[in-house]
Amino acid sequence: MNFSNKLIEIITDYAESKNVDITCRLVGSMAKNTSLMGKSDIDIFMTFPLTYSEDKLKEYGLEFGNYCIEKVGGVPEIRYASHPYTTGIIDGYEVDFVPCYKISDSSELKSAVDRTILHTDYIQSHMTEDETRQVLLLKKFMGSVNTYGANYKVSGFSGYLCELLILEYHSFENVVYHAANHWHNRYRIDLEEYGTSDKFKDPLIVIDPVDKNRNVASALSMQKFSEFIVACRNFLSDPKKDYFRDRVISVSGDDLCEEFRKRGTDCYVLSFNVPDLPDDVIYPQINKTMNSFVKVSEMYDFRVIENSYYIDSDNIAHIILEYEFSRLSNVKIHNGPQIRFHENGVNFKNKYPNAYIRGNKWISISERKYTSVPEMIENIVKKENRSILKLGKNVKDEITENYVLSSVFDLIDEENNEDYEQLFMHLFPDYKLVR
Amino acid sequence: MNFSNKLIEIITDYAESKNVDITCRLVGSMAKNTSLMGKSDIDIFMTFPLTYSEDKLKEYGLEFGNYCIEKVGGVPEIRYASHPYTTGIIDGYEVDFVPCYKISDSSELKSAVDRTILHTDYIQSHMTEDETRQVLLLKKFMGSVNTYGANYKVSGFSGYLCELLILEYHSFENVVYHAANHWHNRYRIDLEEYGTSDKFKDPLIVIDPVDKNRNVASALSMQKFSEFIVACRNFLSDPKKDYFRDRVISVSGDDLCEEFRKRGTDCYVLSFNVPDLPDDVIYPQINKTMNSFVKVSEMYDFRVIENSYYIDSDNIAHIILEYEFSRLSNVKIHNGPQIRFHENGVNFKNKYPNAYIRGNKWISISERKYTSVPEMIENIVKKENRSILKLGKNVKDEITENYVLSSVFDLIDEENNEDYEQLFMHLFPDYKLVR
């Protein structure tokens, strides 16, 4: 009897002793034989009849999970998805015990986790043994070209999406061939021919076989969609085994300095602590924050040539803002009303006494608000009407109170390998797409 | 007998002795009593019957003009308008002797000078004595706010246009009132109600009373049209006598330096000799040359905040190019094809090996052609495919072979008052519009 079955037996026995009618199931990639070694959790779902209230479901779910983990010598911990569940490390595996309802199709869905059962059923009943091996190849490839994972940080392909691609195309090679040659924005895959793909506007539309109103690829960004297509083209033009291994970044501080010097840009790094919250809460906020800095910079005429961000292992976020120049003239052209609007012209001239005529309108060479990037950032963060800058709500305080703005060369001077890798990826974003 | 009549008598007698049937007429502002003191020429037109050939007209015209000027002790000189004419300084007046045909309306026009007779007739027969005084006020005002003159250098109002404005509005004050309050782009004045103004698209349309297919204001630029309107508004809000006197510019080198420093711009002056050709030939070429430098600068991402030009008394043209910054990063974003165009992507990546993916398209951070303004100017003038830069044909060689590019501060260091005035006008272009 394997490990999962043993855990299921413990829980089932305990539930029976409590007169609770549940069925336990191993779900997810473990159940589907599509998990990559060393990468997967054991997901055990406890399915309750629809007659149980949600409160009872949560209460029993946590109790049974705790019991089982303690029984086999682990330390239980409560986590929250759409409802709370118990997790623990047992024998080196992360095991999740999730309570859910016993449903037979998507019309009975009460929460997102209930759907996992339907997914597991669908894959188990439709996938051949060879196809499960093709899924492993695809996941490995996706992982090493950095397009695997539906979490916000990656915004790539989920495991279930990889499985559906194999069901559609039958083999890894065929997926790669089609992606490389046929995929385009809003490409549609509809295994059960529901005909519901019209309502989606995502880069890739893969209708969920167990829920015709859901696009399995909705979390996939245009960026990762494009990157996967290009990685597939790269692979086909020179199909090396290396495409199934992570590409290691090895770069020295001197190399990085040299590269930034060659670019001749003014590259700043804005750093601040981030609170210890789940990645899917924090990453979107840092991304939004970065985009806002870029937008405001351009508004003040500082052109951004490239930008990126990362959160390091000390929970410090770094937003890299690389500018074409960091100093501007003290003045700029301020466009005024047309000469024919007498009254407006008078007001403009009163406001800008140096205003003069250019063609058929008033202009003024008037003082620029900010003439350097550090001055602009200091002011928009600390003094300006905040509404101009859109900061993530959980990082706002840390930024406004404790941000540090450094030149990229100062960051390089700190000789931190983690920073080096991220700076390297900032300079060479396609590095992992090719071998 | 006044001076003009004496000259006319000399010519008429001489022509009679040669058996040539001409009538001499004083034309222009002298004939119309609308000349400003010390500003006007004496224009004497010799009208020939239409039976004379153009060759005869030219031959006799020059002969009679020469005779008369020599007779009163002047030195004749030949000039060219639509046909050659004689000019000379006599008693401090510049006197022009111009041959033309005797015509009674515009359908008989053989050249532009023939029209002058019709203009003189029209004004003499329509203008009251008071109105001629109003013309003088208007011309004086126009002159001191720098909108008087139909030559290209000013691109303002001609004397005849001033006269027609007075015929339309009867008084200086009324012209000023209407310009200030009612004029707008494509404003129409049609004294003879020809109804032909639809065909013109100029800022101001004043149909010639002696030629319904001609806009008397066609040489007026939008700039000078706007400036006159604003000067009128300024005058009406505070009608000082100073508006009829030139406004003197008195500025020190230190003041100019201070002003350019306050602006914090990178201001360059491109200087080169211009050939000794009429203003109306050279000025448009310098203007075209300047506009081309501005356009090419912006094409290479160097933003121009203000530009102007002048030709000094040593026949050196100076083009002032004031930039928001004069140095840029070594690299810039180069947009490539969309990912979905496989072949184009391959070509782009071959051309720019560092190309990577941004969203749904390829981009490359590639080398900028020019990273500084002097480098750009040196190259576009001397090395680049010339077609990119549009240089006036008579100044092309001087620019490419002998241009000098200086910082505005170097020009200021030369302590030339003429430069100071022009730099001052560059900084404060509306200075003359207000008192």
Side-chain angles (χ1 to χ4, degrees), chain A residues 355-374:
Chain A
Y356 58 90
I357 300 158
R358 187 178 282 177
N360 66 345
K361 65 177 204 288
W362 288 99
I363 67 156
S364 162
I365 304 285
S366 49
E367 231 178 303
R368 210 180 258 294
K369 207 155 181 180
Y370 308 119
T371 62
S372 81
V373 167

Side-chain angles (χ1 to χ4, degrees), chain B residues 69-103:
Chain B
I69 291 169
E70 281 170 355
K71 178 97 184 175
V72 297
V75 179
E77 188 185 318
I78 296 175
R79 295 221 182 129
Y80 298 85
S82 51
H83 38 234
Y85 66 96
T86 319
T87 190
I89 306 288
I90 307 169
D91 273 9
Y93 288 98
E94 186 179 317
V95 185
D96 296 339
F97 294 95
V98 182
C100 66
Y101 284 108
K102 195 176 292 180
I103 60 170

Side-chain angles (χ1 to χ4, degrees), chain B residues 105-122:
Chain B
D105 69 65
S106 65
S107 65
E108 296 177 313
L109 279 179
K110 292 221 171 182
S111 84
V113 297
D114 298 342
R115 198 185 276 116
T116 307
I117 304 269
L118 302 177
H119 289 169
T120 305
D121 286 345
Y122 188 84

Side-chain angles (χ1 to χ4, degrees), chain B residues 266-280:
Chain B
D266 286 297
C267 188
Y268 292 91
V269 184
L270 182 84
S271 307
F272 50 92
N273 291 307
V274 293
D276 192 17
L277 289 168
D279 283 0
D280 274 3

Side-chain angles (χ1 to χ4, degrees), chain B residues 116-131:
Chain B
T116 307
I117 304 269
L118 302 177
H119 289 169
T120 305
D121 286 345
Y122 188 84
I123 297 299
Q124 283 176 338
S125 60
H126 286 77
M127 190 168 274
T128 67
E129 213 181 306
D130 176 60
E131 284 173 339

